Amino acid sequence: MVHRLRNNLGPLTFGFDIGIASVGWCVIVEINRKLYILDLGARCFDKAETAKEGESLNLARRTARLMRRRLRRRAWRLTKLARLLKREGLIADAKAIQQPPEKSPWHLRVEGLDKLLTPTEWAHVLYHLCKHRGFHWVSKAQEKKAESDKGEGGQVTQALKDAELRRKEKGYRSEAERILTDFPSAQRNKQGEYKKALKRVWLGEELELLFKRQRGFGNPHASPEFETRIVGNGDRKTGLFWEQQPALSGTKLMEMVGNCTFEKDGPTLYTPDQILTQFLASTIRRAPKASYSAERHVWLTRLNNLRIVVDGNARPLTEAERQIALPLPYQQAGDFKYEQLKKALVKAGLMPESAKFAGLNYSQKNKDGTDKDPESERLVKLPAWQEIRKTLKDAGLETEWQGIASQP
């Protein structure tokens, strides 16, 4: 039969099962309302990950690339600082600042609160503070995430909390004074140690205090204009001390977002003034995965592909069943399961109790040998929507999220 079909092929159906380590394929032809498998097979290959840790093969390259960028930006920031110190007249040569001073910069930072520093000493204090700026979380979300981290982020957060208590108990004037008092033998953290962790905010306050004290002692290189060049204008963004690569925003952020598959024409880049307007008026740019529209697309796709088996015949959802199913995942917290959909449709009289869902394995067994209910599996998950729902509900806007959930 197969030989005869190959000599008279009609329309072919190709099926692919693409995984991370294999691609399964099958060719099917339909003749006289009967399906025949022409050929099938699988191509296996190695996973693109390490065998021991299960990490991406490109992780090491990406980590090294990010480290090179960070070191390059740090070196450029310190070069700009050294040039500024030379223009200010604190040092004769920009490379001279890299030579260690006679006294430790930590001691110079403490002495700078009580006496006038020489130009060279003052330059080393500024360079030391701008070079070792401490930890700084770009956003509150990043800081909150670090608190629950069991790795380095969590250890750093705990160390900073302990340091905050010490600051309040002892009343230290500056971080240099605290570190020299609590850790007189060694002021820097060793590998895997975070007891001497510092916040950039604390060091920024120390830097401002040093400028204030040095102006009081008559230091000609502690003017407000020079302080602004170093510390910034108070927004924790300007100044060499706070200089940092900004987070993606505006057109830079839009460059990272691909175009919608179904929108072939349209601008590839937006100006900042056009971003909100374009997102509200068109669908040229892809929606982020953690958005209402993207999750809505996933849910609608699941409904379109869902098949109900009644008396051995599979059928898609009727329009009445779709209208009942559409709002259900939005009216609860957590995952939406097959059994919840079936219960709603049976209650509405649109689906018999004996009906099943295509694609579920109803012959599975539990470890104890009892039948496993496949309908307890998750049908769809909407984590971004659950976050929106919780946020609006906590803000007393329950009717708002209920209105969004009822949208077609």
Side-chain angles (χ1 to χ4, degrees), residues 184-198:
S185 58
Q187 289 74 48
R188 306 302 304 177
N189 283 320
K190 296 181 181 179
Q191 186 175 6
E193 180 188 21
Y194 302 98
K195 294 181 180 179
K196 305 160 192 172
L198 300 172

Side-chain angles (χ1 to χ4, degrees), residues 153-164:
Q155 297 178 38
V156 171
T157 303
Q158 185 59 46
L160 292 176
K161 288 182 179 179
D162 296 340
E164 184 72 35

Side-chain angles (χ1 to χ4, degrees), residues 251-394:
T251 56
K252 290 293 183 182
L253 178 61
M254 296 306 300
E255 290 177 0
M256 305 298 293
V257 182
N259 291 332
C260 175
T261 305
F262 306 103
E263 295 284 351
K264 302 300 182 182
D265 301 324
T268 56
L269 290 177
Y270 299 140
T271 63
D273 296 335
Q274 292 175 322
I275 292 175
L276 181 59
T277 303
Q278 292 289 352
F279 261 105
L280 293 177
S282 70
T283 56
I284 293 176
R285 287 289 178 177
R286 293 176 183 171
K289 184 177 181 180
S291 66
Y292 176 82
S293 56
E295 290 186 340
R296 185 72 168 179
H297 166 74
V298 172
W299 174 225
L300 292 176
T301 303
R302 294 283 173 84
L303 283 181
N304 291 338
N305 296 333
L306 191 63
R307 294 296 182 267
I308 298 176
V309 181
V310 181
D311 296 332
N313 297 318
R315 64 169 180 82
L317 294 178
T318 64
E319 185 59 31
E321 290 171 337
R322 285 175 60 88
Q323 293 304 318
I324 293 176
L326 273 173
L328 293 181
Y330 302 97
Q331 297 174 355
Q332 64 171 47
D335 301 341
F336 184 64
K337 301 180 180 180
Y338 285 92
E339 58 187 5
Q340 294 173 289
L341 174 60
K342 182 176 181 178
K343 183 179 179 180
L345 297 181
V346 170
K347 184 178 180 180
L350 300 175
M351 178 178 175
E353 187 70 37
S354 60
K356 299 181 179 180
F357 293 100
L360 296 183
N361 186 358
Y362 285 85
S363 61
Q364 285 183 322
K365 300 287 185 180
N366 293 313
K367 293 183 179 180
D368 57 2
T370 59
D371 292 335
K372 183 177 181 180
D373 183 13
E375 294 178 1
S376 61
E377 295 183 8
R378 181 178 68 202
L379 175 58
V380 69
K381 181 180 181 180
L382 309 174
W385 161 254
Q386 297 298 344
E387 187 70 22
I388 295 174
R389 180 193 63 80
K390 184 178 182 300
T391 302
L392 293 177
K393 188 174 182 179
D394 293 343

